[in-house]
Amino acid sequence: MSSGLEDRLGYLLKHAQLRLAELTGAALAPYGIDGRELAVLIVLAGHQPVSQQQAAGALGIDRTTMVAFVDTLEAKGLVNRRADERDRRRNLVALTEHGAETLDRAVRASDEAQQRFLAPLGPAAARELIVALQTLVLGAGA
Amino acid sequence: MSSGLEDRLGYLLKHAQLRLAELTGAALAPYGIDGRELAVLIVLAGHQPVSQQQAAGALGIDRTTMVAFVDTLEAKGLVNRRADERDRRRNLVALTEHGAETLDRAVRASDEAQQRFLAPLGPAAARELIVALQTLVLGAGA
DNA sequence: TATTGTTATACTCTATAACTATA
DNA sequence: TATAGTTATAGAGTATAACAATA
C-alpha cells in the first residue's frame, strides 16, 4: 500500500505513538490507570510534594487540565491534596501509600510493554532510538 | 527538571510529534494547508483516482472524517470529486492542477522542516531514527 | 495587583448511528 | 441486503475566560 506516506516522519511518529499507547493501555488496565495518569504519578513522585501548577508545567499541560487529573487520581485513592502551609493558595499533591504501590507496579508493566514494542529493533537499535528522541525533545543532553 | 519522564518512550514520542508538528505547521502555512491535509493529498496523489473510502483506509481514519477533509480540500480548489461511472456510489477524488502544484511545494516545505527538526542528530543518526520507526510501524521492511 | 486552584465554557479532532443513493 | 458517501450527533481531550481565596 505504498502511498508515499511511509517516509514522512510525522506519520511515523503518530502511528508509533498510537501502537505504543495501545500496548501500554492494555498493560496498565489492571491497575486502573492510563498512560497519561501514569505520567502524572511519575511527575508527582519525582519531587514530592509538588504544587499542581509545578506538576502541570513539568508535563506541558494546562493547570486546568491538571485539576481534572488530580480529581480522578484522588477519587481513586492514589494521591491526596493538602494546602501548603506557607502559601495557602497552593495545593501540595502527594502520593498515598496505595498510589506509591500502584506507581511502582504500573511503571514495571509499562516498561514491559515498551520493551515488547521495541523488540523488533534489537537492544542496540532500541537504545539508539531512545537517545535520538531524547536529543530531539530535550536538547543535546542524552 | 528531572522527573523520570525523560526515559519514557510515550512521552518522547508525543513531544517529538508536537515539536515536529509545530515546525511543519509553520512551514505549510503559506500553502494554506496543515500537516493532516498534506497527508491526504499525498495519499490521493499516490494512486489516483481513488475512492474516498480507499483513501481513508490508507490513512487509518474513518470515512466520515475523510468526508470533511475532502470538503475542505475541495473548497480550497485542491481536489475534485466525481462519481465513479462504474459504481455510482463511489466518489473518485483527484487532485486539481492547483492541487498538484500545491502538493509539490508543500512536500518540499515539509521536508525542509523535517530536516531542520532532525538536524541535531546528524545525517546517520537521523536516517537510523527513520528506519527504526519504519520497522516499528510498518513491520520488518525498511 | 498577581497567582493558585477551580469552574464554566468552547473548541478541535474523531468516531458512531442513522439517512440516501446506488448496487 | 450491502456498500459509499453524507449528515447529525456525541465523545475525548484540551484550552481560554472568569471567579474565589490568598499573597
Side-chain angles (χ1 to χ4, degrees):
Chain A
M1 63 145 85
S2 163
S3 36
L5 229 49
E6 304 81 2
D7 293 316
R8 308 212 67 76
L9 187 54
Y11 175 88
L12 293 171
L13 287 173
K14 176 182 174 181
H15 287 261
Q17 203 196 332
L18 283 174
R19 291 197 37 185
L20 176 62
E22 212 174 322
L23 290 175
T24 302
L28 291 179
Y31 306 102
I33 62 175
D34 63 27
R36 287 165 307 131
E37 290 168 344
L38 176 57
V40 175
L41 289 178
I42 289 172
V43 167
L44 292 178
H47 351 275
Q48 17 182 1
V50 66
S51 81
Q52 292 185 196
Q53 194 147 187
Q54 289 171 322
L59 282 160
I61 64 178
D62 193 83
R63 62 188 172 144
T64 62
T65 304
M66 180 57 65
V67 171
F69 276 118
V70 176
D71 280 348
T72 66
L73 291 173
E74 193 170 39
K76 291 173 184 173
L78 301 174
V79 307
N80 54 45
R81 296 167 154 108
R82 68 174 199 278
D84 184 339
E85 288 308 321
R86 285 167 302 202
D87 182 347
R88 297 188 56 80
R89 292 172 305 183
R90 299 187 168 204
N91 280 342
L92 297 182
V93 186
L95 274 69
T96 63
E97 198 170 337
H98 180 217
E101 283 170 14
T102 299
L103 171 62
D104 210 59
R105 294 175 189 161
V107 165
R108 275 202 279 268
S110 171
D111 283 348
E112 202 206 349
Q114 181 170 319
Q115 282 180 8
R116 260 185 295 134
F117 175 72
L118 292 173
L121 293 182
R127 184 78 212 130
E128 283 164 18
L129 172 66
I130 290 180
V131 171
L133 289 172
Q134 285 173 336
T135 303
L136 292 174
V137 170
L138 308 170
Chain B
M1 60 149 82
S2 164
S3 34
L5 229 50
E6 305 82 3
D7 293 315
R8 307 213 69 76
L9 187 53
Y11 175 88
L12 293 170
L13 287 173
K14 176 181 175 182
H15 286 262
Q17 201 196 334
L18 283 173
R19 291 199 38 185
L20 175 63
E22 211 174 323
L23 289 174
T24 303
L28 291 179
Y31 306 101
I33 62 175
D34 62 27
R36 287 166 306 133
E37 291 168 343
L38 176 58
V40 175
L41 289 178
I42 289 172
V43 168
L44 292 177
H47 352 277
Q48 14 184 358
V50 67
S51 81
Q52 292 185 196
Q53 196 147 184
Q54 290 171 322
L59 282 159
I61 64 178
D62 192 83
R63 62 189 173 143
T64 63
T65 304
M66 180 58 66
V67 172
F69 276 118
V70 177
D71 279 349
T72 67
L73 291 173
E74 194 171 38
K76 290 173 184 173
L78 301 175
V79 307
N80 55 45
R81 296 166 153 109
R82 67 174 199 277
D84 184 340
E85 289 307 321
R86 286 167 303 202
D87 182 347
R88 297 187 56 78
R89 291 172 305 184
R90 297 187 170 207
N91 281 343
L92 297 181
V93 186
L95 273 70
T96 63
E97 199 169 336
H98 179 219
E101 284 170 14
T102 299
L103 171 60
D104 210 58
R105 293 176 190 162
V107 165
R108 276 202 277 270
S110 171
D111 284 347
E112 203 206 347
Q114 181 171 317
Q115 282 179 9
R116 257 184 297 133
F117 175 72
L118 292 172
L121 292 183
R127 184 77 212 132
E128 283 163 19
L129 172 66
I130 290 181
V131 171
L133 289 172
Q134 285 173 335
T135 302
L136 292 174
V137 171
L138 308 170

